[in-house]
């Protein structure tokens, strides 16, 4: 494998050199590419190390269960701090000021809820995926199939959004061709996941999280130092510079009516509790105690990160908005609003630091897509192949092989879809991913843990109903019906369907469970008590393997 | 879980004490978080100008800034309180329960 990696690195630098010359107006691409290559070399080294330690299915899916709470907290935060949230939220603050903060708060508050209601029970009941928990006392056939499809749908939508975003970002940062950038991302993530499994994916995520937090801290400190660490002075200068003036200091149009406000909140909160790549991380720690600590650290890192992006957005207003160096002929910011943080990094740290932040942004994309791919591959190999198709009668070596093939397939699919969607409007995709996670994955998972009356039929039919409602309402809503399909008026007026689709899912699950009087349903209800006691105490839960 | 272990655990009042205490505590914490978040976002939906008021005269910093940052800090503090109580109180009972069935496992 080593030889292969070297060959790959060689090819990568070959391509990088001419590309840098084409657009290397300020020599910036060379330092960015060198730093990125260092990151790639380091992470491939880690993958090589992890590959030797990834022997069993448990190693592959959960890194052997030996990750500490602190490490896992960083990795979870890393999963959440995608390039989209770093560049997107600072870009939103740059554009709208205070509204960016409202958005990031919504993304954060799901974490405490996950800690209080989900984290420990999930760890005590599951093994590799959240479908393990759902099918703990329910029939694995229908419930795992539903959970797997919910997972795959969420992962693919998220993945396409990340791939398209990354292709465009890399195009601007490194001057590489869009399709080539997407292929690099796809190939590297396939390497990390197939060879290094969860162990490599986790460490790539941890390294990136540390780099991203360090880089963002430096930018924010540089901005604050300029203003003598006075927020008031920073805001005063920003208000003077921004065309919207004092308006950037108060809530604008992001949340206009109460229904949208409630619905957005539900999508973000319950969506988080249904994201397969986040839920999967709870199985990488030894026990419920470490799972709990993971969320504590993750909440801290993410909260801190959002405060930084807020400062960075305001800093960009001051240092970038009126600086001709970062504006095109029409006076617009080069590369769009999402480039605000990148330009700011140049303004406060020069070419070298710009290279560093660009490389970190690239690394961020790689780490996030790897986590997504692993979660998608696990849904295919562990839930669909091993548990549904083979009914658990499969040896580890075969299951591992299937998971690697699944990784390869998802990776290639992500590359192809990433290229196919280059020119499409994909703004709805992350929203739809959250809506599906909140309306299909979360209600089934939540009720399987808390409600004795849940039956297989109820979970399957209700969950499916939630899934379909979410998809249909997103299609009929403003983001797809109007923005993508070009119709003048949306059929469903709200941008975020979660309030409706989550309600439909819960009512559906309740109704179909209630009317289920079969013998199996009765047995499933009786099995709840034993499951509940294991969820509460962790007695009988999956332990960690020692290496 | 084996039936004997289950029976032994069920007859232990400490199990029910743990469940009652922790469920009550974690649901209280979850509801506090929900109330704080929805109070924040519904204030914005119903009356955005409330958060747009300057902190004091001649200042551009609005009430919304410390409130918004406050929600983030509050969320983190809540998780800290939960972890602290779980480590100190709930884990003690959990360990007792584990020990009580150690021989049967």
């Amino acid at each position: 494998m080593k030889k292969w990696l070297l060959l790959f690195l060689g090819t990568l630098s070959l391509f990088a050199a001419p590309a840098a010359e084409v657009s290397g107006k300020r020599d910036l691409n060379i330092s960015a590419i060198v730093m990125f290559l260092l990151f790639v070399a380091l992470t491939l080294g880690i993958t090589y190390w992890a590959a030797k330690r990834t022997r069993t299915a448990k190693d592959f899916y959960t890194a052997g269960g030996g990750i500490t709470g602190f490490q896992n907290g960083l990795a979870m935060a890393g999963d959440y701090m995608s390039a989209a949230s770093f560049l997107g939220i600072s870009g939103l603050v740059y554009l709208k000021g205070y509204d960016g903060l409202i958005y990031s708060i919504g993304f954060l508050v799901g974490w405490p809820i996950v800690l209080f209601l989900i984290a420990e029970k999930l760890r005590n009941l599951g093994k590799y995926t959240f479908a393990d928990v759902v099918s703990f006392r329910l029939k694995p056939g229908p419930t795992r199939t539903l959970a797997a499809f919910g997972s795959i749908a969420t992962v693919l939508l998220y993945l396409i959004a990340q791939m398209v975003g990354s292709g465009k970002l890399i195009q601007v940062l490194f001057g590489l061709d869009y399709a080539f950038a997407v292929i690099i991302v796809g190939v590297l993530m396939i390497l990390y996941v197939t060879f290094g499994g969860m162990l490599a994916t986790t460490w790539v995520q941890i390294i990136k999280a540390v780099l991203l937090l360090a880089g963002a801290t430096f930018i924010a400190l540089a901005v604050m130092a300029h203003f003598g660490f006075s927020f008031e002075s920073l805001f005063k200068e920003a208000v003077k510079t921004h065309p919207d003036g004092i308006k950037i200091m108060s809530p604008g149009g992001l949340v206009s009516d109460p229904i949208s406000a409630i619905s957005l909140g539900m999508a973000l909160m319950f969506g988080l509790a249904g994201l397969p790549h986040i839920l999967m991380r709870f199985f990488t720690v030894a026990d419920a105690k470490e799972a709990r600590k993971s969320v504590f650290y993750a909440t801290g890192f993410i909260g801190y990160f959002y405060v930084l992006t807020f400062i960075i957005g305001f800093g960009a207003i001051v240092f970038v908005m009126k600086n001709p160096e970062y504006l095109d002929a029409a006076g617009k910011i080069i590369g769009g609003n999402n480039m605000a943080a990148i330009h700011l990094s140049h303004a406060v740290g020069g070419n070298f630091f710009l290279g560093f932040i660009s490389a970190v942004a690239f690394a961020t994309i790689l780490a996030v897509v790897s986590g997504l791919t692993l979660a998608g591959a696990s849904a295919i190999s562990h839930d669909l192949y091993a548990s549904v198709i083979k009914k658990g009668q499969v040896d580890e070596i075969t299951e591992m092989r299937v998971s690697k093939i699944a990784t390869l397939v998802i990776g290639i699919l992500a590359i192809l879809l990433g290229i196919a969607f280059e020119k499409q409007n994909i703004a709805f995709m992350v929203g739809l991913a959250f809506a599906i996670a909140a309306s299909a994955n979360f209600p089934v998972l939540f009720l399987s843990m808390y409600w004795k009356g849940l039956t297989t039929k109820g979970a399957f039919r209700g969950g499916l109903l939630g899934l379909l409602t979410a998809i249909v309402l997103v299609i009929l809503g403003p983001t797809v019906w109007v923005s993508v399909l070009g119709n003048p008026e949306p059929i469903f007026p709200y941008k975020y369907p979660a309030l409706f689709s989550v309600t439909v899912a819960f009512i559906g699950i309740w109704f179909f469970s209630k009317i289920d009087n079969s013998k199996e349903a009765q047995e499933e209800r009786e099995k709840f008590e034993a499951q509940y006691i294991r969820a509460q105490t962790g007695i009988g839960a999956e332990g960690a393997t020692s290496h | 879980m084996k039936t004997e272990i289950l029976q032994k655990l069920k007859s232990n009042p400490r199990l029910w004490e743990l469940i009652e205490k922790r469920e009550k505590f974690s649901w209280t914490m979850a509801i506090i978080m929900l109330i704080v978040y929805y109070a924040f976002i519904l204030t914005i939906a119903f009356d955005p100008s409330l958060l747009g008021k300057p902190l004091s005269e001649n200042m551009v910093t609005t009430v919304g800034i410390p409130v918004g940052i406050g929600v983030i800090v509050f969320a983190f503090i809540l998780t800290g309180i939960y972890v602290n109580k779980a480590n100190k109180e709930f884990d003690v009972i959990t360990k007792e329960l584990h020990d009580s069935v150690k021989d049967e496992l």
Side-chain angles (χ1 to χ4, degrees):
Chain A
M1 200 187 105
K2 220 175 187 174
K3 227 160 130 191
W4 215 77
L5 297 185
L6 283 174
L7 193 76
F8 177 75
L9 271 180
T11 339
L12 193 70
S13 52
L14 239 162
F15 275 98
E21 273 167 32
V22 173
S23 58
K25 290 168 204 129
R26 293 184 300 211
D27 294 344
L28 64 97
N29 293 333
I30 291 169
S31 64
I33 286 172
V34 167
M35 274 183 268
F36 176 68
L37 286 178
L38 283 177
F39 175 83
V40 170
L42 175 67
T43 48
L44 287 177
I46 286 172
T47 307
Y48 181 72
W49 164 81
K52 286 192 291 186
R53 280 160 187 77
T54 303
R55 291 188 204 94
T56 61
K58 190 176 173 65
D59 294 334
F60 184 79
Y61 294 126
T62 70
I67 303 290
T68 68
F70 180 76
Q71 292 164 345
N72 193 37
L74 262 177
M76 282 181 165
D79 269 329
Y80 218 52
M81 299 184 294
S82 60
S85 69
F86 173 53
L87 303 177
I89 292 178
S90 53
L92 191 62
V93 175
Y94 171 80
L95 187 68
K96 305 225 174 194
Y98 192 78
D99 272 3
L101 184 64
I102 303 174
Y103 208 62
S104 39
I105 289 171
F107 274 107
L108 183 74
V109 291
W111 286 94
I113 306 285
V114 166
L115 169 63
F116 305 144
L117 303 180
I118 306 271
E120 295 175 48
K121 294 187 174 71
L122 186 79
R123 179 63 192 83
N124 282 340
L125 293 173
K127 200 173 167 194
Y128 303 147
T129 63
F130 84 91
D132 291 336
V133 181
V134 174
S135 65
F136 193 92
R137 71 194 153 99
L138 305 180
K139 270 214 242 28
T143 51
R144 270 197 199 266
T145 308
L146 178 75
F149 276 103
S151 299
I152 295 166
T154 313
V155 162
L156 272 185
L157 285 164
Y158 226 99
L159 205 51
I160 296 171
Q162 295 286 335
M163 289 304 257
V164 173
S166 69
K168 291 188 176 158
L169 179 68
I170 294 164
Q171 212 175 6
V172 180
L173 292 183
F174 295 79
L176 295 178
D177 177 56
Y178 175 89
F180 181 64
V182 168
I183 292 170
I184 294 183
V185 172
V187 169
L188 281 172
M189 88 185 177
I190 291 171
L191 286 180
Y192 294 151
V193 179
T194 44
F195 292 108
M198 183 56 111
L199 191 57
T201 308
T202 301
W203 279 102
V204 169
Q205 197 60 272
I206 290 174
I207 293 171
K208 159 249 152 154
V210 171
L211 290 174
L212 181 57
L213 284 169
T217 302
F218 177 80
I219 304 180
L221 280 180
V223 168
M224 292 312 292
H226 185 87
F227 291 99
F229 293 94
S230 153
F231 279 99
E232 175 67 15
S233 319
L234 166 67
F235 294 146
K236 250 195 187 115
E237 200 58 37
V239 166
K240 255 192 251 163
T241 315
H242 202 287
D244 289 347
I246 192 74
K247 274 194 202 146
I248 60 169
M249 297 308 299
S250 43
L254 183 77
V255 217
S256 42
D257 65 295
I259 302 276
S260 296
I262 294 171
S263 206
L264 172 67
M266 277 175 86
L268 294 177
M269 251 184 268
F270 300 151
L272 169 64
L275 290 178
H277 62 297
I278 301 278
L279 294 174
M280 197 176 174
R281 290 219 171 273
F282 283 107
F283 306 117
T284 65
V285 295
D287 51 29
K289 185 184 173 115
E290 293 300 312
R292 179 200 299 155
K293 279 201 243 164
S294 314
V295 192
F296 168 70
Y297 290 119
T299 312
F301 287 126
I302 296 167
Y304 171 65
F305 177 71
Y306 285 153
V307 174
L308 295 180
T309 53
F310 188 63
I311 297 171
I312 290 170
F314 269 93
I317 294 175
V318 175
F319 293 102
V320 175
M321 201 167 260
K322 292 282 163 69
N323 189 336
E325 201 181 342
Y326 308 115
L327 306 176
D328 60 17
K332 290 248 191 275
I333 179 168
I334 296 169
N337 291 319
N338 282 0
M339 296 299 288
I342 303 281
H343 292 314
L344 179 63
S345 73
H346 181 260
V348 301
N351 277 337
F352 180 79
F353 190 63
L354 171 73
F356 175 75
I357 286 293
S358 305
V360 168
F362 202 159
T364 296
I365 293 162
L366 273 179
V368 171
V369 293
S370 303
L372 286 165
T373 304
L374 181 60
S378 314
I380 293 172
S381 60
H382 180 61
D383 296 329
L384 286 182
Y385 177 77
S387 308
V388 176
I389 297 172
K390 292 283 172 186
K391 303 202 167 16
Q393 302 301 310
V394 61
D395 60 287
E396 285 209 9
I397 295 165
T398 320
E399 186 175 336
M400 286 260 285
R401 202 169 59 226
V402 173
S403 62
K404 289 181 180 188
I405 296 169
T407 305
L408 195 65
V409 171
I410 294 179
I412 293 170
L413 202 62
I415 294 174
L416 294 178
L417 291 173
I419 294 171
F421 278 91
E422 180 189 353
K423 301 248 176 342
Q424 308 297 314
N425 181 346
I426 50 144
F428 68 94
M429 281 191 179
V430 170
L432 181 58
F434 265 85
I436 290 176
S439 323
N441 307 351
F442 168 74
V444 175
L445 175 66
F446 179 80
L447 290 176
S448 75
M449 288 171 174
Y450 281 96
W451 188 39
K452 185 180 179 208
L454 179 73
T455 72
T456 301
K457 275 193 192 126
F460 183 75
R461 292 180 186 174
L464 193 63
L465 213 57
L467 178 76
L468 296 176
T469 312
I471 295 174
V472 169
L473 291 185
V474 168
I475 292 176
L476 299 181
T479 37
V480 175
W481 197 252
V482 180
S483 306
V484 178
L485 299 174
N487 293 299
E489 286 293 321
I491 294 175
F492 175 73
Y494 302 107
K495 223 172 134 183
Y496 315 104
L499 175 60
F500 304 93
S501 53
V502 173
T503 311
V504 165
F506 271 101
I507 292 175
I509 295 171
W510 172 81
F511 177 77
F512 288 115
S513 297
K514 274 284 170 196
I515 60 163
D516 188 357
N517 289 320
S518 61
K519 203 167 140 255
E520 289 95 355
Q522 203 41 50
E523 282 166 16
E524 284 164 0
R525 292 184 189 110
E526 276 158 18
K527 282 187 202 152
F528 179 76
E529 191 178 48
Q531 178 200 311
Y532 193 64
I533 291 174
R534 170 162 155 180
Q536 290 284 354
T537 60
I539 293 171
E542 288 287 321
T545 45
S546 53
H547 281 289
Chain B
M1 207 185 297
K2 279 185 273 175
T3 334
E4 321 69 281
I5 300 179
L6 190 63
Q7 288 310 326
K8 197 165 173 184
L9 284 172
K10 270 167 69 180
S11 61
N12 189 341
R14 292 287 269 170
L15 171 74
W16 304 108
E17 185 193 331
L18 171 73
I19 291 177
E20 202 197 307
K21 271 191 187 159
R22 185 167 52 201
E23 288 302 299
K24 204 169 140 192
F25 184 63
S26 49
W27 280 99
T28 312
M29 299 293 272
I31 288 164
I32 292 173
M33 188 69 248
L34 285 173
I35 290 174
V36 168
Y37 174 64
Y38 275 109
F40 173 71
I41 199 146
L42 287 176
T43 307
I44 293 164
F46 281 111
D47 189 6
S49 62
L50 218 59
L51 292 176
K53 285 203 186 93
L55 274 179
S56 72
E57 259 180 88
N58 309 322
M59 272 182 94
V60 294
T61 308
T62 51
V63 180
I65 302 286
V67 170
I69 304 289
V71 175
I72 292 179
V73 174
F74 183 77
F76 179 56
I77 290 174
L78 273 193
T79 60
I81 294 172
Y82 178 85
V83 169
N84 185 43
K85 188 166 166 103
N87 285 350
K88 284 201 178 129
E89 205 174 319
F90 304 145
D91 279 358
V92 176
I93 311 181
T94 310
K95 190 173 179 304
E96 253 178 55
L97 294 169
H98 274 256
D99 289 343
S100 75
V101 295
K102 213 166 42 193
D103 304 331
E104 282 92 341
L105 281 173

